Amino acid sequence: MSKKLTCFVSILIVANSFAADYNLDQILKLADENSKNLRLAKLELETAKQLKREAISNALPTISADAGYRRNLQENAFFITAEDSSTGELSTQKFKISNDNEFSFTTTLDQTIYSFGNVG
């Protein structure tokens, strides 16, 4: 029994040598630094903030614009051959379908009404 008592007293002496006095602020700081649950909650909060930002950005409209220029070096035309109703002769007509310079400008506004992403 004396061996058990000696061992128990030794453990108490060693435990007391590592003991320290803490105030409330120090205890809260240690809990904040060492708590896995608090770290996990902070990461989940950050993830939720990012998901909210993503949802808002997907809900906003997008506007895009495009401009173009084309220089036609050859004239594009098509020909129609038809019978003249008064004389009965066949005549061919040429119709020009291109210009020397062509300009184009388009704008697009897209608004998501409903998205099936992240459902379920």
Side-chain angles (χ1 to χ4, degrees):
M1 182 123 151
S2 68
K3 287 184 181 181
K4 289 182 181 179
L5 184 59
T6 307
C7 184
F8 181 70
V9 171
S10 311
I11 291 173
L12 284 177
I13 292 172
V14 170
N16 279 338
S17 66
F18 291 110
D21 292 330
Y22 295 103
N23 63 22
L24 182 60
D25 290 332
Q26 291 171 330
I27 292 171
L28 291 176
K29 183 179 177 187
L30 284 173
D32 188 38
E33 292 172 353
N34 298 320
S35 174
K36 291 180 184 179
N37 289 337
L38 282 177
R39 277 186 274 160
L40 183 60
K42 287 177 184 177
L43 290 174
E44 287 177 353
L45 184 62
E46 185 63 31
T47 302
K49 286 179 184 177
Q50 295 303 323
L51 288 174
K52 181 181 175 184
R53 280 182 79 187
E54 180 182 357
I56 289 172
S57 69
N58 287 336
L60 295 175
T62 57
I63 299 172
S64 62
D66 185 35
Y69 168 76
R70 181 181 6 212
R71 170 74 173 124
N72 294 317
L73 299 176
Q74 293 183 343
E75 181 180 83
N76 294 324
F78 68 91
F79 298 88
I80 295 180
T81 303
E83 183 178 326
D84 189 356
S85 60
S86 61
T87 62
E89 295 180 13
L90 291 177
S91 65
T92 302
Q93 294 269 330
K94 176 182 176 182
F95 292 95
K96 182 178 172 183
I97 59 170
S98 67
N99 295 318
D100 290 340
N101 299 299
E102 292 181 7
F103 300 93
S104 64
F105 184 76
T106 55
T107 57
T108 306
L109 172 69
D110 291 320
Q111 175 63 59
T112 302
I113 302 298
Y114 183 78
S115 174
F116 289 100
N118 297 332
V119 175

